Amino acid sequence: MNSVTEGSGPRVLIAHGLYGSARNWGVIVRRLSDAFTVTAVDMRNHGQSPWAESHGYEDMAADLAEAIGGRAHVVGHSMGGKAAMVLALTAPERVDRLIVADIAPVAYSHTQIQYIEAMRGVDLSRVETRGDADRQLAGVVPEEGVRAFLLQSLDVKGRRWRLNLDVLAREMDRIIGFPGDLGGVFEGPALFLSGAESDYVRPEHRERIKTLFPNAKFAKIPGAGHWLHAEKPREFEAAVRAFLGGMG
């Protein structure tokens, strides 16, 4: 499992969301590294990490456990948040404090398959620069910010995506779902941090969250949507730092 680590102090592990990578978290890693040893990982089938035929949350939680080795605070966004929750529920001895960014332990109905189709639709033989790929994507992905995010996973020189698009497409139902038979409860401190403009964590999800994470606290970042760490990095950092104990 590929990862980047900076800083010293108490350990923090960061798990990114679908189509993301460790590099998406560079700003947060650098800022928190003054007080913590911060490791951001590339999840399986993403970034520089190995590709695998399975992309279930039990698999991803096992990857995170291996990356931690011992024990750490764990921060996860979206898909990474679900993997972090499964880790906390199945191996609570690995997790000190848990921060789940804008996701709940429930199945969602909105698929993300359209972005896989968009990436598959790029004729990589005609890509000399990232701009070439951006212009091709623009016809199907009008949002400039979304295109920029997806293009972070394009290896321009190698003319390949650093995403296992075939497996991610095949496993999409598992990715937007959540395992229902884990049988565990995480009694440790947990923060469910959401974007105030996002609808991923709804009031009706709180009962489920409290059942699995009885000590969960809830907070929202004003003006932020689902990509709260990218949209409001300073506010996100401040919330993480406060929950993890200020300066560590």
Side-chain angles (χ1 to χ4, degrees):
M1 194 178 200
N2 183 61
S3 64
V4 295
T5 300
E6 292 187 32
S8 60
R11 295 186 63 202
V12 177
L13 184 83
I14 297 176
H16 64 76
L18 184 61
Y19 310 139
S21 66
R23 64 183 295 189
N24 300 151
W25 287 81
V27 170
I28 301 296
V29 170
R30 283 192 297 276
R31 288 178 176 172
L32 290 175
S33 66
D34 67 336
F36 303 94
T37 301
V38 189
T39 298
V41 300
D42 284 337
M43 304 293 278
R44 60 171 53 204
N45 296 314
H46 290 71
Q48 305 288 346
S49 282
W51 286 11
E53 287 301 309
S54 177
H55 202 81
Y57 286 110
E58 296 90 341
D59 304 313
M60 288 183 268
D63 293 341
L64 294 180
E66 186 176 341
I68 291 172
R71 191 174 173 91
H73 303 307
V74 180
V75 179
H77 172 248
S78 201
M79 177 191 77
K82 285 187 172 182
M85 285 188 277
V86 173
L87 173 66
L89 292 169
T90 58
E93 70 279 1
R94 300 285 196 186
V95 181
D96 281 322
R97 287 175 171 254
L98 175 69
I99 298 177
V100 179
D102 211 65
I103 202 74
V106 300
Y108 289 83
S109 58
H110 52 262
T111 179
Q112 302 294 328
I113 200 78
Q114 70 272 23
Y115 298 121
I116 291 180
E117 299 304 335
M119 287 182 276
R120 281 173 165 167
V122 174
D123 182 354
L124 295 173
S125 70
R126 294 171 39 227
V127 171
E128 298 288 343
T129 67
R130 205 167 296 276
D132 293 336
D134 183 63
R135 282 184 286 277
Q136 290 191 50
L137 277 176
V140 287
V141 182
E143 305 89 353
E144 184 179 354
V146 175
R147 294 199 307 274
F149 168 67
L150 296 175
L151 288 168
Q152 288 190 38
S153 290
L154 178 64
D155 175 2
V156 175
K157 188 176 293 186
R159 290 183 173 175
R160 61 182 286 272
W161 293 100
R162 295 190 186 94
L163 299 165
N164 190 344
L165 298 178
D166 290 344
V167 166
L168 294 177
R170 193 179 70 232
E171 297 277 74
M172 187 59 67
D173 285 348
R174 296 177 78 188
I175 294 169
I176 65 175
F178 191 79
D181 54 355
L182 296 171
V185 171
F186 180 68
E187 302 276 1
L191 174 64
F192 283 74
L193 183 61
S194 304
E197 306 301 318
S198 171
D199 64 353
Y200 274 69
V201 182
R202 300 175 180 173
E204 59 264 33
H205 296 154
R206 288 200 174 204
E207 183 179 353
R208 174 71 173 155
I209 291 169
K210 277 293 197 178
T211 298
L212 296 174
F213 305 93
N215 290 307
K217 295 185 181 340
F218 298 87
K220 291 186 177 183
I221 295 180
H226 183 57
W227 303 97
L228 61 176
H229 62 288
E231 296 167 20
K232 300 285 184 179
R234 292 194 180 278
E235 292 86 344
F236 184 88
E237 174 209 353
V240 169
R241 200 181 286 273
F243 186 68
L244 297 185
M247 296 300 290

